[in-house]
Amino acid sequence: MPPSKRLSHTASGGVLQRGRSSAGTCRLPVVLLLFLSILAPLLFLAGRSVHAPIYTGFIQPLVGLSPQEPTYRFLFSSFDQKGVSNLSSKEILDWKEQPAVQQLKSILTKEIIDSIVASRDEFGPWSLDFFRKNHGSPSWQIDGLDNSMQFNATAVDAIQTVSSAQLKTSQGTSEYDASSHSSPFKDKGVKNESAEHQLLVSPAKLARRQLREKRREKRVKELIQLDNETLLKLENAAIERSKYVDSAILGKYSIWRRDNDNENSDSTVRLMRDQMIMAKVYSFVAKSKNNHKLYLELLNRLKESQRALGEANADGDLPHYAPEKIKLMGQALSKSREVLYDCRTITERLRLMLQSTEEQVRSLKKQSTFLSQLAAKTVPNGIHCLSMRLTVAYHLLPSEKRIFPKSENLENPNLFHYALFSDNVLAASVVVNSTVMNAKEAEKHVFHLVTDKLNFGAMKMWFLLNPPGKATIHVENVDDFKWLNSSYCPVLRQLESAAMREYYFRADQHSSLSASSSNLKYRNPKYLSMLNHLRFYLPQVYPKLDKILFLDDDIVVQKDLTKLWSIDLKGNVNGAVETCGQSFHRFDKYLNFSNPHIARNFDPNACGWAYGMNIFDLKEWKKRDITGIYHKWQNMNEERVLWKLGTLPPGLLTFYKLTYPLDKSWHVLGLGYNPSIDRSEIENAAVIHYNGNMKPWLELAMNKYRHFWSKYIKYDHPHIRSCSFRQ
């Protein structure tokens, strides 16, 4: 029995022992699992906290490491504490980190690492987003400079700055401490209660700050320079624009505003006139349809608008209450359109108004033409006053003092002779004065003046009181030429005829003006005077002269004219400046080519020429019997079927193919009607001619041309001063 018990005990103990051994074996994996799951992460985190991460975005593009890897943190902690030179193989945690460390050693120097650390202290950890946001501004880029060149230059400057900063630091700490105390950059999480707790500024940090300040200053200078260049461009543009600004625009506070581009803005005036036209139309329709209430309302609005518009031609002339009247008129027209609008009736009424307006315009044009002709041919008060005073003085003068000196020069063919036929004392004085003042040898110039009986005493007295220097002058009365009578001169005979008197002096003058306004310019008193036709009798007036220069009394001489006598006219009689540069100065504009005598003998496209300054060869004149040719055509035109009245058309016929064209600079025309003559052309001309209605002695004269004429008038002369001439 005992053996059996022992066996049983042993067996049971063996079983028990195996059970314990099996239980111990099962506990070991559990312990290891707990250790790995709890203690290992704690150890890992503790080891990670030893080294702080630095600039988690700066080295990644260089070595391709992730900021979360231990190698990345290890490298930057090593840089921060010891630099690249302190890295050793025993500090490397992984074999993968060795190539990265070697690459960083070859790339980064100690100065660059210090600069990186200084930037970290100021701005915190770097990243690509931080760099793009804070260093990608185009204002920090210099135009025209390559990026690589900028980077290299910046790097060199940074290294030089760091070196100088380190050198200063090694010499002493006093300046270093002062600069550190003056630094405005401090850690946000630290509260400095005393100077001991302030962060010290490293040399690299100071160098980077200085580099940044230099770049800012450089950029500011560039921006200032660009601002100056831009300002200069704006000033130049303003100067160029000011050259084309019309200085005549007055009364506007700013001519640069686009609103004032049109100096006579009249949009509101035109709106009011349009409203008034429609009000007249609707008032007529309202009256025809017995709508008296609306008719009276339109009439009232029409009167108010007319009163507001008045004589205004521009918006600035309208009264302040004009917009209110426009509004009320618009309301009345809107009401009328709703009640009275009929397309056919409105159209018919507008057509009638248009026809009536056209008739009024034609009538006003005729009146304007007549008045302009009348104003051009009237004698101003000043000239009339001067003529009367001189006439009285002449008749009070003894007969022995009425003789001009140097009478022996009057028939000397070797001198320069001028013919001037005028009844205007002031105009004749300007012609003589301007010629003498611009002559090189005034003593060789002889002036032959012819005037009418009314102005003979005044003309003679003026030049007796104001002799033309060394020149010779002689004044004659056209009525003293006894050979110039109606039996010899066709013009005188025609002027004495009943038909001509009827043409000039008919009783129904007003109706005739309306019926034939095209003839108004020819109903001119000057055509009744033989002074205007005396130019066709020069050889008879001056029989002993060979050449003579004919001048009108509305010209001004600006240069010496003696060279005209030396021009070879090549067998022609008349030397004149042609005027066919414009189509209306050809023969067909002066002559009636529907007449067979004109059409058969003349070319309608032949070039015209101008009276006013003409050099005549009197020898050729006599040889070709120019006066006889003139008489022939004048007799044929007794009924005015070949040309209208005047002296230029018969002159074109008489001197046809006998006119030598002079250079245009000898004679510039148009100052009496053309406001757009080039100033240089006027100043370079030998003679300027105020042909047209705007004579320089009239109020109608253009001010821009008047001074060329008025500078030859002696305004300080007692007679001129007493007659109150306008300067």
Side-chain angles (χ1 to χ4, degrees):
M1 285 300 295
S4 62
K5 289 181 181 180
R6 201 166 32 253
L7 178 61
S8 154
H9 176 77
T10 303
S12 62
V15 172
L16 181 58
Q17 186 176 1
R18 284 194 299 272
R20 289 177 180 175
S21 176
S22 175
T25 303
C26 292
R27 290 192 199 98
L28 181 61
V30 175
V31 173
L32 291 175
L33 182 61
L34 290 173
F35 176 80
L36 292 175
S37 60
I38 298 175
L39 295 180
L42 292 175
L43 293 174
F44 175 77
L45 294 175
R48 181 179 180 182
S49 63
V50 176
H51 306 288
I54 305 174
Y55 305 106
T56 59
F58 183 76
I59 302 300
Q60 181 178 356
L62 299 177
V63 298
L65 298 178
S66 171
Q68 304 301 329
E69 295 185 10
T71 303
Y72 187 91
R73 295 192 301 273
F74 165 74
L75 289 174
F76 273 79
S77 63
S78 299
F79 293 157
D80 193 6
Q81 297 174 2
K82 300 179 181 180
V84 179
S85 60
N86 293 334
L87 293 176
S88 61
S89 58
K90 61 184 179 180
E91 292 175 329
I92 299 176
L93 301 179
D94 194 351
W95 62 272
K96 295 181 180 180
E97 298 174 355
Q98 294 183 5
V101 173
Q102 296 298 327
Q103 186 175 3
L104 290 176
K105 286 181 179 180
S106 62
I107 294 175
L108 304 178
T109 62
K110 186 175 183 305
E111 290 81 358
I112 297 177
I113 297 301
D114 291 341
S115 179
I116 296 174
V117 173
S119 299
R120 190 275 314 271
D121 293 340
E122 292 184 16
F123 302 108
W126 275 23
S127 66
L128 281 177
D129 291 337
F130 175 82
F131 183 79
R132 289 169 181 166
K133 291 178 180 179
N134 296 277
H135 298 277
S137 173
S139 64
W140 291 91
Q141 300 176 2
I142 303 175
D143 295 339
L145 187 64
D146 185 74
N147 293 335
S148 60
M149 295 175 63
Q150 293 184 28
F151 177 80
N152 294 336
T154 305
V156 172
D157 293 341
I159 294 173
Q160 292 177 352
T161 306
V162 170
S163 301
S164 62
Q166 290 178 347
L167 181 61
K168 292 180 181 179
T169 304
S170 63
Q171 293 176 357
T173 60
S174 60
E175 297 180 2
Y176 173 78
D177 292 339
S179 64
S180 66
H181 291 311
S182 62
S183 173
F185 299 98
K186 299 178 182 179
D187 283 341
K188 298 179 181 179
V190 180
K191 295 183 179 180
N192 297 323
E193 297 178 357
S194 64
E196 297 178 356
H197 294 89
Q198 293 181 357
L199 294 176
L200 297 178
V201 181
S202 64
K205 182 178 180 180
L206 182 62
R208 185 172 181 84
R209 185 182 303 160
Q210 293 174 350
L211 179 61
R212 185 165 58 251
E213 292 298 330
K214 288 182 179 179
R215 292 195 305 185
R216 288 175 180 172
E217 292 176 0
K218 183 177 181 181
R219 182 57 182 168
V220 169
K221 291 180 180 179
E222 291 176 355
L223 292 175
I224 292 175
Q225 183 178 1
L226 290 175
D227 290 342
N228 293 336
E229 293 176 356
T230 303
L231 182 61
L232 182 61
K233 290 180 180 179
L234 290 175
E235 291 177 352
N236 292 335
I239 291 172
E240 290 297 325
R241 182 174 178 181
S242 67
K243 294 178 181 178
Y244 302 99
V245 175
D246 186 4
S247 60
I249 301 177
L250 302 176
K252 293 188 179 295
Y253 63 92
S254 175
I255 61 176
W256 299 102
R257 288 186 56 182
R258 189 171 297 276
D259 297 342
N260 295 323
D261 285 349
N262 181 7
E263 61 176 3
N264 294 318
S265 178
D266 59 350
S267 57
T268 306
V269 171
R270 287 187 284 109
L271 173 61
M272 294 187 69
R273 290 172 179 169
D274 292 343
Q275 286 184 334
M276 291 167 62
I277 291 173
M278 294 308 301
K280 292 177 181 178
V281 173
Y282 281 122
S283 64
F284 173 81
V285 177
K287 186 177 182 180
S288 63
K289 293 187 177 182
N290 296 323
N291 193 335
H292 297 289
K293 181 179 180 180
L294 188 55
Y295 171 72
L296 294 176
E297 181 181 358
L298 288 171
L299 287 183
N300 291 332
R301 299 305 177 200
L302 188 59
K303 291 179 181 179
E304 292 176 355
S305 296
Q306 289 175 341
R307 191 178 300 110
L309 182 61
E311 300 295 330
N313 292 317
D315 295 347
D317 300 332
L318 294 173
H320 63 88
Y321 57 85
E324 181 64 24
K325 302 303 179 184
I326 293 175
K327 181 179 179 181
L328 294 176
M329 176 64 84
Q331 294 173 355
L333 291 177
S334 179
K335 185 190 302 183
S336 302
R337 185 165 50 251
E338 293 176 359
V339 177
L340 303 173
Y341 185 76
D342 182 355
C343 182
R344 182 176 180 179
T345 305
I346 298 296
T347 303
E348 291 178 354
R349 186 60 186 173
L350 287 174
R351 186 181 294 111
L352 291 174
M353 292 177 64
L354 178 60
Q355 293 174 355
S356 175
T357 303
E358 289 178 348
E359 290 295 332
Q360 294 177 8
V361 169
R362 282 194 291 267
S363 176
L364 291 174
K365 282 184 176 180
K366 294 174 184 178
Q367 294 180 23
S368 175
T369 303
F370 173 76
L371 292 175
S372 63
Q373 294 291 333
L374 180 63
K377 306 313 172 187
T378 53
V379 179
N381 289 335
I383 294 179
H384 179 71
C385 169
L386 179 62
S387 180
M388 293 298 101
R389 287 180 179 272
L390 291 172
T391 301
V392 172
Y394 176 76
H395 288 290
L396 295 176
L397 192 68
S399 57
E400 63 272 11
K401 294 184 179 181
R402 299 179 183 178
I403 302 173
F404 288 103
K406 304 178 184 179
S407 59
E408 66 277 5
N409 293 335
L410 297 178
E411 296 181 350
N412 186 352
N414 297 321
L415 300 180
F416 306 111
H417 295 265
Y418 299 85
L420 176 60
F421 309 144
S422 174
D423 57 358
N424 189 325
V425 177
L426 193 64
S429 69
V430 170
V431 175
V432 174
N433 291 341
S434 62
T435 305
V436 173
M437 291 176 64
N438 292 284
K440 294 180 179 179
E441 298 176 303
E443 66 277 3
K444 295 184 179 181
H445 295 258
V446 181
F447 294 91
H448 302 268
L449 271 70
V450 180
T451 185
D452 56 15
K453 182 188 299 185
L454 181 63
N455 295 282
F456 175 71
M459 189 77 71
K460 197 168 184 179
M461 189 62 191
W462 174 263
F463 288 104
L464 287 171
L465 295 175
N466 305 280
K470 297 180 181 181
T472 303
I473 192 166
H474 183 63
V475 180
E476 296 179 273
N477 181 3
V478 67
D479 294 327
D480 292 337
F481 300 152
K482 301 304 180 182
W483 52 268
L484 194 62
N485 49 56
S486 58
S487 61
Y488 174 71
C489 178
V491 173
L492 280 177
R493 185 175 65 254
Q494 293 170 7
L495 290 175
E496 293 174 358
S497 65
M500 192 66 69
R501 287 197 301 269
E502 174 69 14
Y503 182 77
Y504 277 107
F505 306 111
R506 65 181 66 178
D508 56 342
Q509 194 67 259
H510 180 73
S511 61
S512 64
L513 292 178
S514 302
S516 56
S517 61
S518 61
N519 295 330
L520 283 177
K521 64 179 296 186
Y522 303 108
R523 289 191 174 89
N524 193 309
K526 74 176 184 179
Y527 298 126
L528 299 176
S529 173
M530 275 306 300
L531 290 177
N532 198 44
H533 297 269
L534 196 60
R535 65 192 68 188
F536 295 104
Y537 300 95
L538 290 176
Q540 288 78 11
V541 179
Y542 311 109
K544 295 184 179 181
L545 299 181
D546 296 333
K547 276 190 176 182
I548 195 168
L549 184 66
F550 172 78
L551 298 176
D552 269 341
D553 62 356
D554 55 352
I555 62 100
V556 174
V557 178
Q558 301 186 129
K559 293 182 180 180
D560 182 61
L561 302 179
T562 55
K563 291 183 179 179
L564 288 170
W565 276 264
S566 61
I567 294 177
D568 183 10
L569 299 181
K570 302 186 183 302
N572 293 297
V573 179
N574 176 24
V577 172
E578 292 183 335
T579 58
C580 58
Q582 299 169 334
S583 60
F584 59 84
H585 283 152
R586 297 187 181 274
F587 273 41
D588 60 341
K589 300 302 178 181
Y590 299 100
L591 305 174
N592 179 19
F593 275 86
S594 63
N595 187 282
H597 296 288
I598 298 296
R600 186 167 52 247
N601 293 283
F602 302 98
D603 180 8
N605 293 319
C607 187
W609 46 268
Y611 271 124
M613 189 211 72
N614 307 79
I615 183 72
F616 290 110
D617 187 339
L618 299 183
K619 287 184 177 181
E620 286 292 330
W621 185 306
K622 298 173 186 177
K623 185 186 301 184
R624 296 177 179 271
D625 190 18
I626 297 300
T627 304
I629 298 174
Y630 164 70
H631 285 171
K632 169 191 171 183
W633 290 109
Q634 192 70 50
N635 286 323
M636 295 175 64
N637 193 49
E638 186 170 0
E639 300 296 330
R640 298 182 304 280
V641 295
L642 304 183
W643 69 85
K644 303 295 183 180
L645 293 179
T647 55
L648 181 57
L652 296 177
L653 299 179
T654 302
F655 296 102
Y656 183 61
K657 295 184 178 180
L658 295 174
T659 301
Y660 178 81
L662 300 177
D663 187 88
K664 294 184 181 299
S665 62
W666 280 110
H667 187 191
V668 171
L669 299 100
L671 278 74
Y673 68 90
N674 185 4
S676 60
I677 303 175
D678 188 78
R679 185 179 181 87
S680 62
E681 186 179 355
I682 296 175
E683 293 175 348
N684 294 328
V687 172
I688 55 176
H689 194 172
Y690 291 83
N691 59 312
N693 289 334
M694 300 179 185
K695 302 298 183 186
W697 55 83
L698 298 175
E699 295 292 335
L700 297 175
M702 287 182 277
N703 290 330
K704 62 186 298 186
Y705 300 145
R706 193 174 188 277
H707 71 279
F708 293 107
W709 181 84
S710 61
K711 65 182 180 180
Y712 294 103
I713 297 177
K714 299 177 181 179
Y715 286 102
D716 57 345
H717 192 279
H719 288 300
I720 291 181
R721 190 168 60 248
S722 63
C723 290
S724 304
F725 277 92
R726 180 178 66 92
Q727 297 189 28

